[in-house]
Amino acid sequence: MAGEWAVIGGAHWVFGYGSLIYKVDFPFLQREVAAVTGWERRFWQGSHDHRGTAEAPGRVVTLVPSPGTVCKGVAYLIDESVFEHLDHREKNGYRRHEVEISLAGGGDSVAGVLYVADEDNHAFLGPAPAAEIAAHIAAASGPSGSNREYLLRLAQALRNLDAPDPHVHELAVLVEQMTGPGP
């Protein structure tokens, strides 16, 4: 099925690599541990609407191209109508991107989408030293809660998936050193 849309009654696959792993506030038909190749997570996207404010944006993950890198997450088979909710949730600089998703369950590859916030969007913050990113995350908060909670919940979700991510892990350690352990 590689390279074709896995459509079941108008449904599509969507890949979650950040809060879509642990904050599933949408209906889905199927959930699979999955991976995409050629991408890596980075806390380079500003969050003005969820984990920060317009005056003090938080930092959330996006994916950046990284040839050969495997990014593990979760794929959801969703009805087409769910895109309206996801497009609103990911509105702050994210765009849909077509990608091949490797499903862990059956070893199949399916075509699907993921949301990427690239460097051309208005909220992109870009790279910074890990200590600077960690301090930024430790201090930020918005309507969806603290930026710290977002980071630590993502780090725990990745551990639960047995999906080590050095960038996320390093930031989680630094933030916990600054603020104490736990979400």
Side-chain angles (χ1 to χ4, degrees), residues 37-54:
T37 301
W39 298 93
E40 63 186 354
R41 283 177 199 84
R42 288 293 179 259
F43 271 85
W44 292 359
Q45 177 65 6
S47 176
H48 303 89
D49 56 347
H50 288 293
R51 299 298 177 155
T53 63

Side-chain angles (χ1 to χ4, degrees), residues 44-113:
W44 292 359
Q45 177 65 6
S47 176
H48 303 89
D49 56 347
H50 288 293
R51 299 298 177 155
T53 63
E55 300 77 30
R59 276 187 177 261
V60 292
V61 289
T62 186
L63 293 180
V64 296
S66 181
T69 300
V70 176
C71 178
K72 200 168 177 183
V74 176
Y76 301 93
L77 185 62
I78 61 168
D79 184 85
E80 177 100 20
S81 64
V82 176
F83 278 119
E84 183 177 346
H85 171 74
L86 293 177
D87 288 347
H88 177 75
R89 178 174 163 168
E90 306 296 328
K91 69 182 183 256
N92 195 33
Y94 290 86
R95 291 184 292 189
R96 291 189 208 173
H97 183 82
E98 292 184 18
V99 66
E100 185 173 316
I101 303 169
S102 300
L103 304 177
D108 294 332
S109 288
V110 296
V113 299

